[in-house]
Amino acid sequence: MSVRTALRDLIAGHAPDTWEIYPYPLQLQPFEDAAKSVAIVIEQRTLTAGRNSPDAENGIPVDVELTVWVVVDATRGDDREQVEDGLEAAAEQMIRILELLPDQSWDGTATRNQYDPQKPAYDFTIRHPGALTQEEPK
């Protein structure tokens, strides 16, 4: 299972029904489903060779960096205060979820950002060590 899939499953298991989760980067359209007020987008940013030498048993060590975007849509007709309150509530919920990760995976910070000009967001950077193993012959 990939790190992105595992993270998606963790978030989905604790997310409210008002969240739509996308385990890949995409260009978000205006949110059409009134019941889904928050989009969570998981984007793999980097894959870096790890610090240890590869070996036959454990494979090539790598570090994966993911960005988790918590996004609200400012084009839905809500006033600015409602948009900001919705974003803050979603970011607080994401903090509670990410606290379930191992300590070294998330540094506890989130950056106020925007996913695009109409979608204010917070982004959380997740780092996870792993290994590339030799493919099994088919």
Side-chain angles (χ1 to χ4, degrees):
M1 177 184 310
S2 75
V3 174
R4 185 177 11 194
T5 301
L7 185 57
R8 179 205 59 205
D9 292 349
L10 172 73
I11 294 169
H14 296 86
D17 293 338
T18 57
W19 290 12
E20 187 72 40
I21 301 169
Y22 301 96
Y24 45 82
L26 75 158
Q27 184 173 359
L28 285 172
Q29 301 300 316
F31 300 0
E32 294 183 11
D33 184 350
K36 302 287 185 180
S37 59
V38 175
I40 306 300
V41 180
I42 302 170
E43 175 181 332
Q44 183 172 320
R45 301 300 294 250
T46 61
L47 178 64
T48 309
R51 295 180 185 88
N52 303 323
S53 298
D55 64 49
E57 186 177 322
N58 298 316
I60 302 168
V62 294
D63 292 317
V64 177
E65 183 178 288
L66 303 169
T67 298
V68 177
W69 293 89
V70 176
V71 185
V72 296
D73 190 350
T75 65
R76 295 174 65 140
D78 297 334
D79 67 26
R80 179 100 177 143
E81 189 173 340
Q82 288 174 309
V83 170
E84 292 297 324
D85 288 350
L87 179 59
E88 295 299 322
E92 289 170 9
Q93 181 67 30
M94 183 58 71
I95 288 168
R96 288 183 186 96
I97 294 169
L98 295 180
E99 284 293 318
L100 301 172
L101 291 170
D103 288 343
Q104 72 276 12
S105 296
W106 177 51
D107 66 5
T109 61
T111 304
R112 177 57 191 261
N113 213 326
Q114 59 183 26
Y115 195 76
D116 69 31
Q118 296 298 317
K119 295 180 183 67
Y122 273 94
D123 66 80
F124 299 79
T125 300
I126 309 299
R127 290 177 181 82
H128 188 75
L132 298 176
T133 55
Q134 193 170 30
E135 289 186 20
E136 295 293 324
K138 294 181 182 186

